[in-house]
Amino acid sequence: MRVSHSFSAEFDDDNLIAAGGLVPVMLLAESAGLSDLVDAHITLAGSAGANAQVKVGALVGGMVAGADSISDMDLVRHGGMGRAFSELRAPTTLGTHLRGYKFGHVRQLDAIASRLLAALAARVPALVSGVDEMAYVDLDDTIRETHGYAKQGAGYGYSGVKGLNALVATLSTPTAAPVIAGIRLRKGSVKSPRGAGKMIAEALAAARRAGPGAWSRCAPTAPSTNTMS
């Protein structure tokens, strides 16, 4: 038996939804005020910034469904997705929106994410259960390997791997799994502790919003192998 490479597959049945789990996820995001937060904080001008709440929502939905590139965002328009969601946008439109972002707009997204986490915690208590008794903030950097010469921001860091360097802060409790409290992309060539102080302060601020009063008894985590000292 030989494998044929002459066929192709396309998900295009109007009665099928490839990612049905997106419906409750996006309902939860809307109930937590995602669209209102985008309207309140994103100031991207011009056509790229038009209907930002729709575009950000589409990007969130695409990433939840497994998209990891702009072209993958077309999955939110496949099959019966148009029957489950309104105001879908093409990948090219979403790419134009993202290319309009400057550093200040990224900081606006940080403000949205912090407030959204607090709103989600209020609606899903299990997300940060026990946060008023004991909470942990863990800060790590992670490098995603990239290839080619045109990847903006990529570089060789202390690991010797060429890639994108992200600083990630997570919040957890003895009874709740870690959730991301903050994330920041840095140049691949930076040293591990770069920006750690500010990131810790912002992660603590996000955690306070998610669980008021938790930090009078906050315990630090033991550093992992790639955690800043």
Side-chain angles (χ1 to χ4, degrees):
M1 180 181 291
R2 299 177 62 185
V3 177
S4 172
H5 297 283
S6 61
F7 67 89
S8 62
E10 185 175 348
F11 185 88
D12 58 359
D13 192 313
D14 291 340
N15 296 310
L16 296 178
I17 298 177
L22 273 181
V23 174
V25 168
M26 298 311 295
L27 283 173
L28 177 60
E30 285 305 299
S31 72
L34 175 60
S35 293
D36 292 337
L37 286 169
V38 173
D39 280 339
H41 292 278
I42 295 297
T43 61
L44 187 61
S47 60
N51 299 310
Q53 76 281 4
V54 173
K55 296 170 184 175
V56 171
L59 288 163
V60 170
M63 288 187 289
V64 170
D68 61 4
S69 67
I70 288 298
S71 60
D72 286 348
M73 287 295 169
D74 202 36
L75 63 84
V76 301
R77 304 193 303 164
H78 284 182
M81 296 293 273
R83 298 174 63 180
F85 300 98
S86 61
E87 299 186 274
L88 300 176
R89 294 295 186 269
T92 52
T93 301
L94 299 176
T96 298
H97 177 72
L98 289 178
R99 283 191 293 272
Y101 277 63
K102 306 299 182 184
F103 179 74
H105 300 113
V106 174
R107 299 293 290 142
Q108 292 170 357
L109 289 176
D110 288 340
I112 292 170
S114 174
R115 288 160 176 79
L116 185 64
L117 175 60
L120 290 173
R123 286 159 177 77
V124 188
L127 195 65
V128 289
S129 63
V131 70
D132 288 324
E133 298 298 327
M134 180 70 70
Y136 306 92
V137 168
D138 186 56
L139 193 66
D140 294 275
D141 65 344
T142 179
I143 296 176
R144 297 297 300 271
E145 187 175 7
T146 61
H147 304 277
Y149 298 99
K151 181 68 71 174
Q152 186 177 7
Y156 290 96
Y158 63 91
S159 66
V161 175
K162 183 181 180 181
L164 297 171
N165 189 318
L167 192 62
V168 183
T170 57
L171 167 67
S172 63
T173 77
T175 58
V179 295
I180 295 177
I183 188 167
R184 185 74 41 75
L185 184 65
R186 309 177 297 174
K187 289 185 177 180
S189 59
V190 301
K191 294 183 179 180
S192 181
R194 178 72 178 272
K198 189 171 184 179
M199 191 63 160
I200 290 172
E202 293 177 1
L204 291 175
R208 289 190 183 97
R209 291 192 180 98
W215 301 104
S216 60
R217 298 176 299 279
C218 178
T221 60
S224 59
T225 55
N226 61 340
T227 301
M228 281 66 62
S229 58

